[in-house]
Amino acid sequence: MSSISADDLLKARQRIAGLVRQTPLEHSPSLSRLAGVPVWLKLESQQATGSFKLRGASNAVAQLDAEQKRLGVVTASTGNHGRALAFAAAQQGVKAIVCLSELVPQNKVRAIRELGAEVVIKGRSQDDAQLEALRIAREQGAAFIPPFDHPHVIAGQGSLGLEILEQCPDVCEVLVPLSGGGLFAGVALAIKASSPAIRTHGISMQLGAAMHASLEAGEPVEVEELPTLADSLGGGIGLDNRFTYSITRELCDQVHLLDEASIARGIRHAYREERLVVEGAAAVGIAALLDGLIEPRGPVVVVISGRNIDIDQHLRVLNGADA
Ligand SMILES: *Cc1c(COP(=O)(O)O)cnc(C)c1O
């Protein structure tokens, strides 16, 4: 099924130990009262660069050979993967190129430059930027590091699953935000290798959930990308998906889809009750609990995947807006 073993996850964890933070697992009294079982929050919002994506990016860079490290890495992500890869590459002394379209706002361009990456501006869409990244990979020999569908990226995200098992040995339900499935696949490989009885929940937004649509169709399919508060969960899984689709199909016990109002409630709950700034993608686990979608049989761990929300949007949501 997958070419990623439990041993690959252990090795990834050791390899990136000095490069990423072991994040805290915090008890949530309010969600525990609501759910009737202990609920714990795994705070990847406190990971360096503000999301779990640093784990996979660090592991992928660390596994390049000396020649590949000399030639550098390239990607086209404007979001958390771009930030993470820029940071991981700088930390390991490797050149990173991030390709962005002309339409990406200046503040995002600056943020990626400040993390030490070279920014190449090309074209007027994400697809144009992606083609440029692939061209640079071909012509300069730089390693193209994708955001989720790569064994080293998945194994890096799996280190988060290993931490959950250590920090909460009696966990019964694990709630994981689900988009391309790199996070879900890594965490679920760790959890199911330890105990197949622990239930894994993948959580996405209703608007443009590509992995859910693909699981329903029985093969990777395209979905229309729509604006959502959970912007880090947008985008497709790739029609030529090699790893995350089959691992998710095999290891995901339940998928839950949330509307925008619930995602907004999750962001508000995180701030008001837990004193956490979280982005929409990271709020979906809390939102699923608030909506009563999970029927927990025992302790719950909710993966809080990141905090990189636009501050003005955060204020609007706190003041009651759903979008
Ligand atoms: C990328 C991302 C996700 C989804 O991860 P996948 O591996 O694509 O499923 C969830 N939350 C945040 C904050 C992310 O950056």
Side-chain angles (χ1 to χ4, degrees):
M1 177 258 311
S2 88
S3 46
I4 304 157
S5 69
D7 190 51
D8 291 330
L9 305 190
L10 287 169
K11 289 204 175 105
R13 188 181 183 192
Q14 286 164 3
R15 192 177 295 116
I16 64 176
L19 300 170
V20 308
R21 295 181 193 148
Q22 162 148 346
T23 52
L25 188 75
E26 297 269 356
H27 183 244
S28 167
S30 69
L31 291 171
S32 301
R33 257 192 316 276
L34 181 88
V37 295
V39 175
W40 300 88
L41 306 178
K42 177 65 172 160
L43 297 184
E44 282 304 292
S45 47
Q46 294 184 20
Q47 188 54 262
T49 73
S51 86
F52 72 88
K53 288 235 173 40
L54 187 60
R55 294 174 183 268
S58 297
N59 192 46
V61 173
Q63 283 192 257
L64 299 174
D65 64 27
E67 174 66 1
Q68 284 175 315
K69 280 189 174 153
R70 196 182 61 72
L71 294 169
V73 294
V74 61
T75 193
S77 158
T78 59
N80 287 332
H81 175 64
R83 296 170 71 103
L85 188 66
F87 185 91
Q91 212 178 15
Q92 297 181 54
V94 172
K95 182 175 94 165
I97 300 175
V98 179
C99 299
L100 303 174
S101 91
E102 288 163 14
L103 303 181
V104 172
Q106 272 308 312
N107 58 339
K108 282 201 173 177
V109 174
R110 203 177 328 113
I112 289 175
R113 280 208 183 105
E114 280 168 5
L115 288 166
E118 178 187 333
V119 172
V120 172
I121 307 276
K122 186 78 186 181
R124 296 189 61 79
S125 72
Q126 179 62 20
D127 285 348
D128 290 343
Q130 170 94 8
L131 287 175
E132 178 67 4
L134 293 170
R135 194 189 61 77
I136 288 173
R138 243 185 352 264
E139 287 182 6
Q140 302 184 14
F144 180 77
I145 311 283
F148 54 87
D149 201 28
H150 187 294
H152 300 167
V153 172
I154 295 168
Q157 321 306 24
S159 64
L160 168 50
L162 297 174
E163 288 177 22
I164 290 173
L165 290 164
E166 269 175 27
Q167 292 170 311
C168 186
D170 60 350
V171 61
C172 279
E173 319 278 342
V174 183
L175 277 50
V176 186
L178 175 62
S179 175
L183 175 62
F184 182 88
V187 169
L189 284 166
I191 297 288
K192 294 290 188 184
S194 154
S195 164
I198 301 172
R199 258 199 318 218
T200 54
H201 303 260
I203 310 175
S204 307
M205 65 295 178
Q206 281 171 0
L207 300 175
M211 183 63 85
H212 173 73
S214 301
L215 293 170
E216 294 280 292
E219 63 183 351
V221 294
E222 306 253 27
V223 297
E224 190 191 347
E225 198 169 338
L226 298 162
T228 166
L229 272 177
D231 54 321
S232 292
L233 299 184
I237 70 165
L239 291 177
D240 52 353
N241 189 291
R242 294 181 54 208
F243 304 98
T244 59
Y245 169 74
S246 59
I247 298 171
T248 305
R249 191 181 54 194
E250 178 100 7
L251 300 183
C252 184
D253 292 311
Q254 284 180 21
V255 176
H256 310 275
L257 300 182
L258 300 174
D259 64 23
E260 296 297 298
S262 329
I263 298 169
R265 272 198 299 281
I267 293 173
R268 282 195 287 273
H269 175 96
Y271 191 73
R272 291 185 184 152
E273 300 290 332
E274 320 290 347
R275 308 279 153 160
L276 295 173
V277 174
V278 306
E279 55 179 289
V284 295
I286 292 176
L289 283 168
L290 293 176
D291 281 0
L293 297 178
I294 314 291
E295 290 172 21
R297 302 155 308 164
V300 176
V301 170
V302 184
V303 176
I304 306 294
S305 51
R307 63 156 185 244
N308 293 325
I309 185 169
D310 177 81
I311 284 297
D312 293 324
Q313 183 179 54
H314 192 243
L315 286 172
R316 283 194 298 277
V317 171
L318 294 182
N319 287 325
D322 287 349

